[in-house]
Amino acid sequence: MKKHLFLFTVLIFSKALVNEVRASLLYPVVVSTWPFLEAVRAAWNAVDGGFSAVDAVVEGCSACEKLRCDGTVGPGGSPDENGETTLDAMVMDGVTMEVGAVAAMRYVPEGIKAAKLVLEYTKHTMLVGDQASAFAISMGLPGPTNLSSVESIEKWTKWKDSSCQPNFRKNVIPRDSCGPFHPNGPSIRRCLMDNELRPNEFGSVNVGLHSHDTISMAVIDQIGQIAVGTSTNGATFKIPGRVGDGPIAGSSAYADAEVGACGATGDGDIMMRFLPCYQAVENMRLGMEPKLAAKDAISRIARKYPNFIGALFAVNRNGTHAGACHGWTFQYSVRNPGMNDVKVFTVHPQ
């Protein structure tokens, strides 16, 4: 009897040890849109040092904000029609499914930390505008401060000198100046045939690699918990008050620790109509591998908007990852226990 008990104990211990070793080979994992190497390294150093998935996501996105990645993350980039920079950010805990987000936030340079404050200290999901700024400052973040930079003001000035073109207005007059804008007569929306497209609605003409971008990051920590986060200063020359997909859970990012995570980037005004990251995670829940899950989520948008520009990555709970894109070549960055440093993966349009 003692011998059997001993063997049973050894078997249980061995199984636990195997599971621990297997987990140590899988985790932690950091995945991010674009070759934002320093952001991924910051997140990796945090999670490899024992930080939670949520805290590691904040560390990674915060590094990108400080570096002003591509001029499209953090303060100092993407001026709106008034020449002002505002921030959108989001954090999602894939274990509790809690979300904290801020949108159209002025005067506070640390968007991702403000989003985490919403997650940690409120029962809300999102705060917006000046009230989001006041909340973040009241909770200890620095501000108020001007989020514009010499570069963003120069970009805005050049745009003004070009009669404020391109812009995001439609069906307004005057068409070739900076406003004020008024509706161009009554808006009449007739029925369309199935194969007929509305001009100016089925493309991403104002969106390019350096005019509109987001860091979207997923982290699986040492015990397999998953979180995602995003940070962006939105579309260049956007209409003041515009909120893109960055702070929208399920659009720019989504996480469920039972399944996996997703991060997206591109024309948020189109992508947020489809919640592509929610779709990708749900695809994985149904048994799809990350590659097929990502491709399916992107193709759903492309069928309706064949000229849109966008991309996403999907990573399952075991750390297997893949990407899909439409309208541009996409790159995403990964660090896991099998790598000595961050590795960049390139995905071509499907």
Side-chain angles (χ1 to χ4, degrees):
M1 177 61 102
K2 289 183 178 181
K3 182 178 180 181
H4 288 141
L5 182 60
F6 173 76
L7 291 175
F8 179 75
T9 302
V10 169
L11 180 62
I12 294 297
F13 176 78
S14 299
K15 186 176 181 179
L17 184 61
V18 168
N19 288 336
E20 184 177 343
V21 170
R22 184 180 295 132
S24 70
L25 294 175
L26 295 174
Y27 314 138
V29 179
V30 179
V31 188
S32 171
T33 53
W34 305 116
F36 296 148
L37 305 187
E38 292 305 317
V40 175
R41 287 175 182 137
W44 173 262
N45 290 336
V47 73
D48 193 45
F51 280 41
S52 70
V54 167
D55 288 334
V57 160
V58 172
E59 288 295 308
C61 291
S62 182
C64 218
E65 291 173 347
K66 292 173 183 175
L67 291 169
R68 300 182 178 182
C69 291
D70 275 355
T72 61
V73 180
S78 299
D80 64 16
E81 285 187 346
N82 292 334
E84 185 177 12
T85 297
T86 57
L87 305 182
D88 299 337
M90 185 266 286
V91 180
M92 181 174 186
D93 185 333
V95 177
T96 66
M97 309 306 288
E98 291 177 292
V99 175
V102 292
M105 187 175 70
R106 309 164 76 192
Y107 311 130
V108 178
E110 298 182 282
I112 193 69
K113 290 183 179 179
K116 187 189 177 193
L117 289 172
V118 175
L119 183 147
E120 287 187 323
Y121 296 111
T122 82
K123 295 181 180 179
H124 300 308
T125 292
M126 182 185 295
L127 299 179
V128 303
D130 289 349
Q131 290 84 357
S133 307
F135 170 79
I137 293 169
S138 75
M139 299 300 290
L141 289 186
T145 185
N146 188 346
L147 301 186
S148 297
S149 66
V150 172
E151 293 79 10
S152 69
I153 295 300
E154 286 180 350
K155 183 183 292 186
W156 177 69
T157 301
K158 186 178 294 186
W159 178 73
K160 295 280 283 187
D161 292 342
S162 300
S163 299
C164 299
Q165 297 298 320
N167 61 38
F168 289 91
R169 305 277 180 168
K170 68 177 185 179
N171 301 326
V172 296
I173 52 176
R175 290 184 180 275
D176 299 318
S177 73
C178 296
F181 298 95
H182 305 285
N184 186 17
S187 177
I188 300 175
R189 300 175 66 89
R190 64 183 182 85
C191 294
L192 300 178
M193 302 298 289
D194 287 344
N195 62 347
E196 190 177 4
L197 305 183
R198 292 187 183 90
N200 303 322
E201 289 191 20
F202 280 70
S204 300
V205 294
N206 293 342
V207 177
L209 189 60
H210 299 293
S211 67
H212 177 81
D213 209 349
T214 304
I215 180 170
S216 184
M217 176 178 285
V219 172
I220 308 177
D221 66 22
Q222 293 183 3
I223 58 175
Q225 296 184 340
I226 305 177
V228 292
T230 66
S231 183
T232 180
N233 50 42
T236 305
F237 313 131
K238 62 190 176 185
I239 298 170
R242 179 262 189 184
V243 174
D245 68 327
I248 308 300
S251 187
S252 66
Y254 194 74
D256 186 330
E258 296 178 355
V259 182
C262 167
T265 182
D267 189 342
D269 287 297
I270 291 177
M271 296 180 76
M272 67 195 298
R273 303 168 191 176
F274 294 83
L275 298 180
C277 274
Y278 176 80
Q279 184 64 57
V281 172
E282 288 305 299
N283 285 345
M284 291 190 289
R285 190 191 306 278
L286 294 174
M288 291 187 189
E289 289 297 312
K291 184 175 182 179
L292 182 57
K295 184 176 180 180
D296 173 75
I298 285 291
S299 67
R300 289 169 183 256
I301 308 174
R303 284 197 295 269
K304 294 285 187 179
Y305 292 85
N307 297 320
F308 99 98
I309 293 173
L312 59 82
F313 67 78
V315 55
N316 66 21
R317 63 191 303 267
N318 295 322
T320 303
H321 56 85
C325 61
H326 185 87
W328 59 4
T329 297
F330 172 55
Q331 291 184 305
Y332 69 97
S333 305
V334 180
R335 178 72 198 270
N336 64 33
M339 302 174 181
N340 293 325
D341 198 1
V342 183
K343 183 175 181 181
V344 177
F345 293 81
T346 300
V347 182
H348 298 284
Q350 56 189 42

